[in-house]
Amino acid sequence: PTLVSRWKDQDQEKILLLWQQGEISNFQYLMHLNTMAGRGYSDLTQYPVFPWVLSDYSSSELDLNDPAVYRDLSRPMGALNPKRAEKFQDRYDMWEPSEQDGV
């Protein structure tokens, strides 16, 4: 069986419950999710993934109660602001598929 198939539904529910109740940290919960997805430190092509949730990387101190500190999670990274969205749209529009892309 694969690593992912070894995780039973009750294991996933137990981990979710532990996280919701504050028994495990956000980092521990994300590591469990990565493990369930077959990601880990032993394979650089499947390294764990963590969401980019902050938007303020220049302040010397962060007020974690201030919503402005966090990025808008309803938008993909490429569309966080109009300039960035335009840049990625231009890149997409100029992309020409090739055989090596599987197209």
Side-chain angles (χ1 to χ4, degrees):
T2 65
L3 177 64
V4 176
S5 67
R6 285 188 235 153
W7 285 90
K8 299 179 185 136
D9 286 340
Q10 68 250 27
D11 293 335
Q12 294 174 25
E13 291 173 14
K14 179 182 178 186
I15 291 166
L16 175 61
L17 188 61
L18 289 171
W19 177 66
Q20 288 173 331
Q21 294 174 341
E23 299 291 323
I24 61 174
S25 69
N26 289 345
F27 176 79
Q28 290 169 314
Y29 179 66
L30 289 171
M31 283 305 298
H32 282 295
L33 292 179
N34 275 288
T35 301
M36 285 186 263
R39 294 183 165 277
Y41 294 113
S42 60
D43 181 353
L44 292 178
T45 65
Q46 295 295 316
Y47 219 66
V49 175
F50 296 94
W52 183 4
V53 296
L54 297 178
S55 66
D56 182 352
Y57 288 92
S58 59
S59 298
S60 59
E61 284 188 29
L62 293 178
D63 176 3
L64 298 178
N65 294 314
D66 180 3
V69 168
Y70 301 98
R71 80 170 183 90
D72 181 356
L73 295 174
S74 70
R75 304 185 68 113
M77 289 301 299
L80 290 180
N81 60 52
K83 183 177 179 180
R84 202 172 155 95
E86 182 181 350
K87 176 183 166 187
F88 279 91
Q89 185 63 49
D90 289 346
R91 184 186 300 171
Y92 177 79
D93 291 341
M94 293 175 64
W95 177 68
E96 294 184 24
S98 67
E99 282 188 38
Q100 73 183 36
D101 294 325
V103 179

